[in-house]
């Protein structure tokens, strides 16, 4: 049950957003640290070359947000690990008292980078690794061999944390539900749980409609999918309601 302090905070945030008045400070700081990406996913139109904030500029924003009392920092992309200094950004954010949740495709996490990650407290830095299905459905979107590279990056984090004696670090999968993984989606989640992921955030396609990329149109749900989609949604809701280590 939420405390009175939490209820008051949540009410102030809700009213501030609905009425567009500054009755509550922001609860989360999000910064696009890079819009570059090393992949060319068929459904994505959000990655491109663009000027980036410097490390000093990001540190300044974190300093200001810390003074305001903001507690959560989300570094966004593109792919954040395109930056050579992303570990410095993550480390500084944690030093300033933030809880950090970073979303990455996982393919750029080398052993050296995993070792640097392991130096950042595991209770303060969490990961969301993008996996759009099993090996076949993921690589259909992200390119051949990308599922294996993402899993390799994930395992490197786990191994580096274990070697450093860290407590368990929360790592979720970010998984898009689409027409190509609809009929084995629960098996995909079971596979992620077996690999040691702590849960999944289920996402929809970024864009649909006639202006969406042609390559992604095969991922859209058609009328013939609706019955299966409804059945899956009910099963996922039931699974999410259960108390289990792997959370939906």
């Amino acid at each position: 049950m939420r405390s009175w302090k939490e209820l008051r905070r949540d009410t102030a945030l809700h009213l501030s957003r609905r009425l567009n008045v500054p009755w509550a400070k922001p609860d989360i700081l999000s910064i696009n640290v890079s819009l570059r990406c090393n992949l060319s996913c068929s459904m994505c139109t959000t990655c491109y070359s663009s000027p980036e904030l410097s490390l000093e500029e990001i540190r300044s924003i974190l300093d200001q947000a810390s003074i305001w009392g903001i507690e959560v920092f989300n570094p966004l992309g593109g792919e954040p690990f395109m930056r050579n200094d992303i570990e410095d950004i993550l480390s500084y954010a944690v030093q300033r008292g933030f809880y950090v949740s970073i979303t990455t495709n996982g393919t750029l996490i080398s052993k050296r980078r995993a070792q640097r990650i392991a130096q950042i407290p595991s209770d303060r830095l969490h990961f969301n690794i993008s996996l759009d299905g099993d090996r076949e459905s993921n690589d259909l979107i992200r390119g051949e061999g990308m599922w294996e590279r993402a899993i390799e990056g994930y395992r490197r984090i786990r191994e580096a944390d274990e070697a450093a004696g860290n407590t368990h670090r929360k790592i979720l999968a970010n998984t898009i539900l689409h027409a190509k993984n609809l009929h084995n989606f629960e098996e995909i989640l079971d596979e992620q749980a077996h690999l040691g992921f702590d849960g999944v955030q289920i996402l929809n396609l970024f864009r649909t409609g006639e202006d969406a990329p042609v390559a992604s149109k095969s991922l859209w749900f058609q009328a013939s999918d609706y019955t299966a989609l409804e059945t899956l949604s009910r099963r996922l809701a039931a699974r999410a309601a259960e108390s289990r280590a792997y959370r939906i």
Side-chain angles (χ1 to χ4, degrees):
M1 180 177 293
R2 289 183 297 174
S3 66
W4 167 246
K5 180 180 179 181
E6 292 171 328
L7 182 62
R8 183 174 59 184
R9 178 203 63 194
D10 292 346
T11 300
L13 283 169
H14 174 74
L15 292 174
S16 295
R17 289 165 178 166
R18 287 295 299 272
L19 303 176
N20 196 28
V21 292
W23 288 347
K25 64 177 181 291
D27 52 345
I28 297 174
L29 169 67
S30 297
I31 299 177
N32 276 321
V33 296
S34 177
L35 291 175
R36 294 176 292 142
C37 188
N38 61 312
L39 304 184
S40 298
C41 302
S42 61
M43 78 302 183
C44 181
T45 58
T46 60
C47 298
Y48 47 87
S49 181
S50 178
E52 298 174 357
L53 294 170
S54 68
L55 175 60
E56 291 70 25
E57 289 171 323
I58 293 175
R59 282 175 171 172
S60 176
I61 295 172
L62 289 168
D63 289 341
Q64 296 172 60
S66 176
I67 292 171
W68 297 338
I70 298 174
E71 298 179 347
V72 179
F73 171 47
N74 290 336
L76 303 176
E79 169 50 53
F81 280 86
M82 289 292 287
R83 291 186 66 124
N84 293 328
D85 60 358
I86 187 62
E87 295 92 344
D88 296 321
I89 294 171
L90 301 177
S91 179
Y92 188 78
V94 168
Q95 291 174 30
R96 292 293 299 176
F98 289 92
Y99 291 96
V100 182
S101 180
I102 184 169
T103 298
T104 172
N105 62 43
T107 65
L108 297 178
I109 299 176
S110 62
K111 290 183 179 180
R112 181 187 65 81
R113 302 191 96 162
Q115 290 168 354
R116 294 195 64 191
I117 289 166
Q119 296 172 12
I120 304 173
S122 54
D123 63 331
R124 287 276 175 173
L125 174 60
H126 303 155
F127 281 80
N128 305 313
I129 295 182
S130 298
L131 289 173
D132 293 324
D134 55 11
R135 187 190 307 268
E136 180 180 358
S137 55
N138 178 85
D139 289 1
L140 177 69
I141 293 174
R142 296 181 172 270
E144 185 176 355
M146 293 305 106
W147 186 90
E148 187 62 42
R149 285 182 57 182
I151 296 301
E152 187 174 39
Y154 159 76
R155 286 176 171 151
R156 284 170 175 164
I157 296 173
R158 290 290 194 218
E159 290 167 0
D161 274 334
E162 183 178 0
N166 294 337
T167 56
H168 184 80
R169 189 184 305 275
K170 185 171 76 172
I171 304 179
L172 304 178
N174 268 11
T175 301
I176 294 175
L177 174 59
H178 54 80
K180 297 298 185 181
N181 65 15
L182 170 62
H183 297 287
N184 68 331
F185 197 75
E186 287 190 272
E187 288 84 356
I188 289 168
L189 303 192
D190 291 339
E191 178 182 54
Q192 293 174 0
H194 178 73
L195 288 166
F197 282 86
D198 296 293
V200 63
Q201 296 184 112
I202 301 173
L203 309 175
N204 60 346
L205 290 171
F206 296 118
R207 287 176 60 189
T208 59
E210 294 306 317
D211 62 338
V214 173
S216 71
K217 290 187 177 181
S218 65
L219 306 176
W220 301 356
F221 294 115
Q222 305 299 321
S224 58
D225 297 317
Y226 291 169
T227 298
L229 181 59
E230 181 176 2
T231 299
L232 175 63
S233 298
R234 294 181 185 278
R235 290 180 60 85
L236 291 175
R239 289 178 61 148
E242 297 175 6
S243 177
R244 58 173 66 203
Y246 177 88
R247 303 298 300 274
I248 299 175

